[in-house]
Amino acid sequence: MADELSDGTLRGMVSVVDSEWTLREATPVDRGFCRVYRLVVGTATSTRECYLKAVPEGRDAGVAADARVSAVVGEHTAAPVPGILGAVDDHPDLPAPYFLVEAMPGDEVPYERVGWVSDDVLRTTARQLGESLGELHRIDAVDSFGYVFYDESRELAGGRPSGTVDELRVRDGVDSWPDYLRARVDRELGRHAESGFSDLTPRLESWCEDRIERLDQRDGGFSPVLGRNDHGLHNVLVDADTGDLTALLDWAYTLAVTPAYDLQFAAYLFGGGFLSAIPEVADRQEMVRDALLAGYRSTAPDLADDAATYRPLYELLAMVRIMNDFEQLRPRLPEGTGDAVAEGLREDVESLLERNSR
């Protein structure tokens, strides 16, 4: 693991959160860009397991926002979110921001393994995720579109976030959904132009602009909600035998978006369509979408019609995300399948454009 933290540094980080805790064990965990450690700490009466999430060197990575959003979701929903034990936004000697979070039960499954999860297990996970997303979207926390940040005037020096919605902010929020989408499309297609799929970028640019112009012609109908956004098996814990959702992890990239946008990203990434060029893998996006919406209707019936609205633009952007990160995905795929998966992605995008060209 690159950029590891020393035992002395970890002891110092734990003591800022609780001066009576002592570090017993520290094991690095490979989770994305951040430095994450499984810790065993001694308390006054026992030991406990927890996790430490720290900013990577030279990057913010949304760690401070992650702690606040997690606390809000835990306070306002029944979603399985681990409790924040303490957070530190700034420190002269330690790698801040960072926070400690309680350990949760469940199994970690890499997101590219979704294609090999059984139908029954995947359906259960999707339905329960839909329930949690319905509750998430009903939290009245945002009034514009954009990246969900936090109130920087409320600095934490080891304490717990309050879990109140007034701790959240939308950084440089945009009032218009079409305007926000234009900016997001520009960013994503800017990355796409540097990917192995760059020959498709000009066509995607013109198609996306046409679709956004159609959104411009609508009279309202787009309201911001807290969007999970960073969907995939890699950001949840599940009971691998039943599919029961035991934890929703990693809220650093929460966005204020529309319900339909958030649901479409979840349906695409959990549906595993990006792997369907592998012979034994099926595109189960329709099955996953139905299960997501069934769960969603049980907790947010008032938002379900908006959430159920299919827009090909949102599905395309989910595909673009996979394309943009494909070189990170390739080595995790079964040996010899990388080229086939890349070609399958290309064909799926071209098919979507053809089906929705008018």
Side-chain angles (χ1 to χ4, degrees):
M1 178 178 177
D3 194 21
E4 289 193 25
L5 301 174
S6 69
D7 286 348
T9 297
L10 291 168
R11 283 194 294 270
M13 296 168 82
V14 168
S15 69
V16 173
V17 172
D18 193 314
S19 61
E20 295 186 357
W21 288 0
T22 58
L23 180 64
R24 301 285 182 84
E25 297 178 22
T27 306
V29 179
D30 183 12
R31 286 198 64 85
F33 298 110
C34 292
R35 293 178 284 197
V36 179
Y37 285 79
R38 173 190 170 274
L39 304 180
V40 176
V41 299
T43 69
T45 58
S46 64
T47 61
R48 69 181 303 170
E49 181 183 351
C50 60
Y51 285 81
L52 180 144
K53 185 172 185 178
V55 64
E57 188 172 3
R59 298 183 61 176
D60 169 44
V63 171
D66 188 343
R68 269 65 170 205
V69 177
S70 295
V72 168
V73 177
E75 182 69 23
H76 293 271
T77 78
V81 178
I84 305 299
L85 302 175
V88 177
D89 294 330
D90 192 27
H91 196 280
D93 304 312
L94 299 172
Y98 70 89
F99 61 84
L100 267 63
V101 60
E102 66 180 355
M104 299 285 279
D107 302 302
E108 293 189 57
V109 182
Y111 84 96
E112 71 276 5
R113 298 302 302 171
V114 70
W116 289 268
V117 175
S118 73
D119 283 357
D120 288 344
V121 167
L122 185 59
R123 193 180 290 112
T124 296
T125 299
R127 180 183 176 89
Q128 292 181 9
L129 177 63
E131 294 170 359
S132 293
L133 291 178
E135 291 193 82
L136 174 70
H137 291 175
R138 295 191 68 190
I139 300 174
D140 186 11
V142 293
D143 56 11
S144 60
F145 299 102
Y147 172 62
V148 177
F149 202 54
Y150 68 101
D151 182 354
E152 294 177 277
S153 69
R154 301 185 178 193
E155 187 171 282
L156 291 173
R160 302 183 182 192
S162 70
T164 59
V165 296
D166 58 359
E167 282 207 2
L168 303 184
R169 299 286 184 270
V170 177
R171 177 183 279 174
D172 300 323
V174 178
D175 292 332
S176 162
W177 175 237
D179 287 348
Y180 172 75
L181 269 182
R182 280 193 178 88
R184 187 151 193 87
V185 165
D186 285 347
R187 287 193 299 272
E188 293 298 321
L189 292 187
R191 292 184 61 209
H192 192 270
E194 298 177 356
S195 74
F197 304 89
S198 59
D199 56 299
L200 291 174
T201 308
R203 188 178 175 193
L204 296 182
E205 289 172 340
S206 60
W207 187 90
C208 288
E209 180 54 35
D210 175 69
R211 288 286 157 171
I212 294 172
E213 286 180 358
R214 298 186 193 191
L215 293 179
D216 266 334
Q217 296 167 11
R218 287 172 55 89
D219 295 326
F222 302 113
S223 298
V225 297
L226 288 176
R228 173 75 166 142
N229 179 56
D230 201 7
H231 293 290
L233 281 176
H234 61 303
N235 280 337
V236 301
L237 296 178
V238 298
D239 183 319
D241 294 325
T242 65
D244 288 321
L245 192 65
T246 61
L248 293 172
L249 309 173
D250 294 342
W251 294 86
Y253 299 108
T254 300
L255 298 177
V257 291
T258 66
Y261 182 93
D262 202 28
L263 262 290
Q264 186 58 55
F265 264 67
Y268 182 76
L269 292 168
F270 278 91
F274 59 97
L275 300 168
S276 59
I278 299 174
E280 66 267 28
V281 176
D283 183 347
R284 294 179 287 179
Q285 186 175 176
E286 184 175 352
M287 181 194 83
V288 167
R289 182 179 176 84
D290 288 346
L292 281 167
L293 286 169
Y296 194 93
R297 288 190 180 96
S298 71
T299 55
D302 52 325
L303 299 177
D305 287 345
D306 285 343
T309 303
Y310 169 74
R311 298 192 188 281
L313 173 60
Y314 305 163
E315 183 177 0
L316 178 74
L317 289 175
M319 293 177 172
V320 166
R321 175 183 290 183
I322 295 291
M323 288 179 157
N324 288 351
D325 295 328
F326 189 74
E327 291 313 307
Q328 285 74 49
L329 171 64
R330 182 188 288 273
R332 304 167 71 105
L333 297 173
E335 186 175 356
T337 64
D339 289 345
V341 171
E343 185 57 30
L345 273 169
R346 180 183 299 277
E347 291 174 359
D348 286 348
V349 166
E350 291 176 340
S351 175
L352 185 148
L353 297 182
E354 290 295 333
R355 293 195 314 268
N356 299 279
S357 59
R358 294 183 179 181

